[in-house]
Amino acid sequence: MLERIIYLIIVIGILVMESDVVVQIYKGMKNSFSIKRDLRLVSKQINKREGGKVYKHLMRLISASDMEHIFISPEHFIYLCVFIFSFMFIGLMIFLDFRDALVLATGFAAIPYAVLTFKLSGKRAKGSREAVVLVQELTNNYKINSCNMREAIEATAISIEASATVKRVMINLAKNLNNASSSKEIGEAVENFRYAFGTAWADILSANIFIAVYRGVRVENSLRDLGKSIANSKKIVEHSRRQGYEARIMIRYMMPICMLMTIISARMFFNMSIGEYMLNQFSNKSSMYWLLTSIFLYLGACFTDMFFASRKMDL
């Protein structure tokens, strides 16, 4: 323990003594990253080779979760994860052995990715509920603009009065399609749209958009049928939610009510004061295990209820 603290103090001392060199290295790396970022933006415009699968996945995840104001590029996200891992690993090595520190530091480093994933899941659930409005608006604008899908998407992005999430996705789709010229660029723009919703109806709509934009095929009937299918699916989803409403109410309020009734029963039938009840509850090992098990089961049920209550509206 003492040796690890001394080792950490030595490392901090070396970094302080060589602070000028560290600052210069940081500035050089920052300038290098800025140049690479600018080159990557230019390469998109001139249709050069972009990053790999991991880079594209992170770029889509950041964009779809609307966190571009925090993570300007996937590099910033990676640097944050590396920093969290390094900081937590060095700190945990003082108290834990190498394996435990490595596992915990890795878990902490995965927190930013988990936050983006949960944020995207919430946006998908919220945006999927506006599917009927989105498809109807797009179908109407497709007819008005003489079956020109690009103009229909622009008009929908401007006129749609759904949630801010759907409006932002449509604006990004219109912007990406206006900048796209080849089938690959059109496919990437449509793929970003599909990824933002992550539903079966979004897959079908994306395929129709690609066919209409790239091949010029009329998809009016397909859009109309998709709108009818989504409307029918929405009725089924809303009916199932109403059926499970009583069960969700029981999950949320049953355990707190039972705990309160336990305290009242102890007072009424055993003549125990609240202090005596708390003493018996927390001084007994079996009672502590029962309480902790109940709390964990209750939290698990609440999180499960939140997950199913916020499910995406799909076909």
Side-chain angles (χ1 to χ4, degrees):
M1 179 68 179
L2 182 61
E3 294 178 353
R4 294 178 180 177
I5 296 176
I6 295 173
Y7 174 75
L8 180 62
I9 294 174
I10 292 174
V11 171
I12 294 174
I14 294 173
L15 292 176
V16 172
M17 292 176 61
E18 301 295 335
S19 59
D20 294 338
V21 178
V22 174
V23 170
Q24 293 299 325
I25 293 174
Y26 170 76
K27 290 182 178 179
M29 293 176 65
K30 184 178 179 181
N31 293 333
S32 175
F33 296 150
S34 299
I35 294 171
K36 289 180 179 179
R37 182 187 61 191
D38 295 338
L39 289 175
R40 186 175 290 108
L41 293 175
V42 173
S43 66
K44 287 183 180 181
Q45 298 175 359
I46 61 178
N47 195 25
K48 287 187 176 180
R49 182 179 178 274
E50 297 181 5
K53 293 182 178 180
V54 175
Y55 180 87
K56 290 181 179 179
H57 171 71
L58 290 177
M59 188 165 57
R60 285 197 180 106
L61 179 61
I62 294 170
S63 176
S65 59
D66 195 19
M67 296 291 283
E68 292 175 316
H69 59 287
I70 297 178
F71 304 109
I72 302 175
S73 67
E75 285 88 348
H76 289 76
F77 176 82
I78 295 174
Y79 300 150
L80 176 62
C81 293
V82 172
F83 172 77
I84 293 175
F85 174 81
S86 303
F87 180 78
M88 295 303 301
F89 181 72
I90 294 173
L92 290 171
M93 277 293 292
I94 300 175
F95 306 100
L96 304 174
D97 57 17
F98 177 82
R99 185 183 63 181
D100 294 339
L102 180 64
V103 172
L104 289 175
T106 303
F108 279 106
I111 289 177
Y113 185 83
V115 170
L116 290 182
T117 303
F118 280 114
K119 191 172 180 63
L120 174 61
S121 178
K123 287 186 173 295
R124 281 177 169 178
K126 187 176 180 180
S128 65
R129 300 189 187 104
E130 305 293 338
V132 176
V133 177
L134 173 60
V135 175
Q136 288 178 350
E137 285 278 342
L138 183 60
T139 305
N140 294 334
N141 288 317
Y142 186 67
K143 296 176 184 178
I144 294 171
N145 289 278
S146 303
C147 298
N148 188 318
M149 182 58 76
R150 292 179 189 265
E151 294 181 0
I153 291 173
E154 290 182 6
T156 303
I158 296 172
S159 64
I160 192 168
E161 296 180 355
S163 64
T165 301
V166 176
K167 192 173 186 68
R168 183 181 60 83
V169 171
M170 292 303 297
I171 290 174
N172 289 336
L173 176 61
K175 181 177 65 176
N176 292 334
L177 287 178
N178 285 335
N179 295 329
S181 57
S182 64
S183 62
K184 180 180 178 181
E185 292 175 340
I186 295 173
E188 289 180 354
V190 173
E191 175 62 21
N192 291 335
F193 170 81
R194 185 201 66 80
Y195 183 82
F197 291 102
T199 56
W201 64 262
D203 295 345
I204 299 172
L205 183 58
S206 300
N208 283 302
I209 292 174
F210 180 82
I211 293 172
V213 173
Y214 181 62
R215 300 187 181 277
V217 178
R218 295 172 63 96
V219 293
E220 179 181 352
N221 294 331
S222 179
L223 292 176
R224 189 186 302 112
D225 294 339
L226 178 61
K228 293 179 181 178
S229 299
I230 295 174
N232 293 332
S233 177
K234 185 176 182 178
K235 294 178 182 178
I236 297 173
V237 171
E238 290 178 350
H239 180 69
S240 63
R241 285 179 180 173
R242 286 195 296 268
Q243 283 185 328
Y245 179 75
E246 293 83 2
R248 290 197 297 271
I249 292 296
M250 291 178 63
I251 290 174
R252 292 176 185 176
Y253 300 111
M254 183 62 72
M255 181 189 169
I257 292 174
C258 288
M259 292 296 298
L260 181 62
M261 291 299 297
T262 303
I263 298 174
I264 295 174
S265 299
R267 176 66 178 173
M268 292 178 61
F269 298 105
F270 299 99
N271 199 25
M272 295 174 60
S273 65
I274 296 178
E276 292 175 337
Y277 174 83
M278 299 298 290
L279 179 63
N280 288 315
Q281 179 69 63
F282 293 102
S283 63
N284 189 294
K285 189 174 181 180
S286 300
S287 299
M288 279 293 297
Y289 279 135
W290 176 85
L291 179 63
L292 292 174
T293 302
S294 301
I295 291 174
F296 281 119
L297 289 175
Y298 174 70
L299 292 176
C302 289
F303 281 120
T304 304
D305 171 59
M306 291 171 59
F307 173 77
F308 285 106
S310 62
R311 286 184 301 174
K312 294 177 291 186
M313 205 285 293
D314 209 346
L315 298 178

